[in-house]
Amino acid sequence: MAAPGILLVDKPQGITSHDVVARARRALGTRKIGHAGTVDPMATGLLVLGVEGATRLLTFVVGLDKTYEATIRLGVSTDTDDADGQIVGTVDASSLESSRIAEAIAPLTGRISQVPSTYSAIKVDGRRAYDLARAGEDVQLKAREVTVSRFAVLAERRASTVSATEGVVDVDVVVDCSSGTYIRSLARDLGAALGVGGHLTALRRTRIGPFDVATAVAVDAIADAPLLAPAEAAAAVLGRFDVTAEEARDLRHGKRLTGAASRLPASPTAAVDPAGGLVGIVERRGADVKSAMNMPEEAAR
């Protein structure tokens, strides 16, 4: 059986997140592997995998803030809001000034209301929106509140497209955002605000919470990759609560730690035993500490 832990993978372009999971299952010899949020086939970057018992920790990773590096092409719109779609409009964007781009980005920063891309994985009456869109059905998705804490321009490039009079502007950006934010939608909305249309031509996820793509491994290196121990990964996400051997035993047996809430750095947090094993995820209950999720002892290290 494969050791439990968290595996950070740098997904290459052109394969799905499920493809990466399938390769990891073959490389590590286990079926019990899951991921904490997909990356589009067009995109590259960080994919967080849970192996064996550590799959239970993925629920705490899914909702973490993320960082993306992206390229937005202004002057061309597509039906999918990215480069995988069909072009549905072109406008000469060559006269756009950097100051106008910055002004249009400002309202897309902070707490915003965003309509996800029609070709997203959101379910509508039990079916994926992209399946409905590809079937020619009219897809109307509701706006959702998301937070974009940083939307910054790194570089701009100007080039010609179909003819010498139709210019595009490629804008390299970095985005820090809450879970559920669609970078494709930011590209679309930026283009719409500027009156020239826009879509995403490149996307790379570089961070999920405390996990950075710089420490991720290539798909071909999964078999020999070191895993983050469950306790290390859980503490990185939730903070660490050290317990004695007796307290660890009580938590595993469903008992509360009376009066221990004042020692808890956060709620929920990761309880770690003296041997460095993850007892589970604990939370405050009044003045006490109670287990919210226990880890099987064989999956604790």
Side-chain angles (χ1 to χ4, degrees):
M1 185 176 73
I6 295 295
L7 177 62
L8 307 181
V9 179
D10 187 349
K11 188 193 86 68
Q13 190 174 36
I15 66 173
T16 69
S17 299
H18 296 296
D19 291 334
V20 176
V21 170
R23 293 191 190 188
R25 286 171 175 165
R26 291 194 296 270
L28 300 179
T30 179
R31 294 289 303 168
K32 197 169 183 182
I33 295 180
H35 65 75
T38 62
V39 186
D40 290 341
M42 184 198 84
T44 68
L46 184 59
L47 193 65
V48 177
L49 304 185
V51 181
E52 294 293 344
T55 55
R56 303 182 70 191
L57 299 177
L58 296 179
T59 185
F60 300 100
V61 178
V62 170
L64 297 175
D65 288 355
K66 300 169 176 64
T67 298
Y68 294 90
E69 294 176 357
T71 299
I72 298 171
R73 174 157 290 181
L74 298 172
V76 179
S77 303
T78 71
D79 57 359
T80 61
D81 302 323
D82 64 18
D84 285 340
Q86 299 296 313
I87 294 176
V88 295
T90 59
V91 176
D92 184 3
S94 59
S95 63
L96 279 179
E97 296 180 352
S98 298
S99 58
R100 280 194 63 204
I101 295 173
E103 288 171 1
I105 283 176
L108 297 174
T109 306
R111 187 70 176 171
I112 64 172
S113 180
Q114 182 186 75
V115 177
S117 172
T118 300
Y119 285 79
S120 67
I122 293 174
K123 286 189 175 182
V124 180
D125 296 329
R127 296 178 62 190
R128 301 289 185 187
Y130 55 68
D131 287 332
L132 295 170
R134 287 167 184 157
E137 297 188 32
D138 182 35
V139 180
Q140 299 293 329
L141 297 178
K142 295 180 179 179
R144 55 175 61 185
E145 296 293 309
V146 298
T147 299
V148 178
S149 52
R150 178 171 58 148
F151 189 175
V153 174
L154 301 177
E156 293 178 19
R157 295 179 303 282
R158 295 167 190 270
S160 296
T161 54
V162 180
S163 72
T165 60
E166 291 183 327
V168 299
V169 180
D170 285 337
V171 184
D172 297 332
V173 300
V174 59
V175 177
D176 294 333
C177 57
S178 62
S179 180
T181 304
Y182 281 86
I183 311 302
R184 281 183 289 162
S185 296
L186 288 179
R188 176 201 65 206
D189 293 346
L190 178 61
L194 291 166
V196 298
H199 72 284
L200 206 63
T201 62
L203 181 66
R204 180 166 176 77
R205 186 160 68 190
T206 60
R207 181 188 64 86
I208 301 176
F211 305 120
D212 195 283
V213 73
T215 58
V217 300
V219 170
D220 294 341
I222 286 176
D224 300 317
L227 302 182
L228 288 173
E232 180 184 359
V237 173
L238 300 170
R240 177 176 175 132
F241 175 57
D242 289 295
V243 297
T244 66
E246 182 180 358
E247 288 173 328
R249 184 172 58 252
D250 286 345
L251 287 170
R252 289 189 173 110
H253 290 163
K255 296 181 180 179
R256 296 189 181 199
L257 304 185
T258 304
S262 61
R263 293 164 43 203
L264 212 60
S267 181
T269 194
V272 181
D273 67 23
L278 179 62
V279 179
I281 308 303
V282 296
E283 61 187 10
R284 292 189 184 96
R285 288 296 175 90
D288 302 338
V289 171
K290 181 182 183 298
S291 178
M293 185 193 80
N294 280 336
M295 287 290 288
E297 290 197 48
E298 67 272 12
R301 294 174 178 82

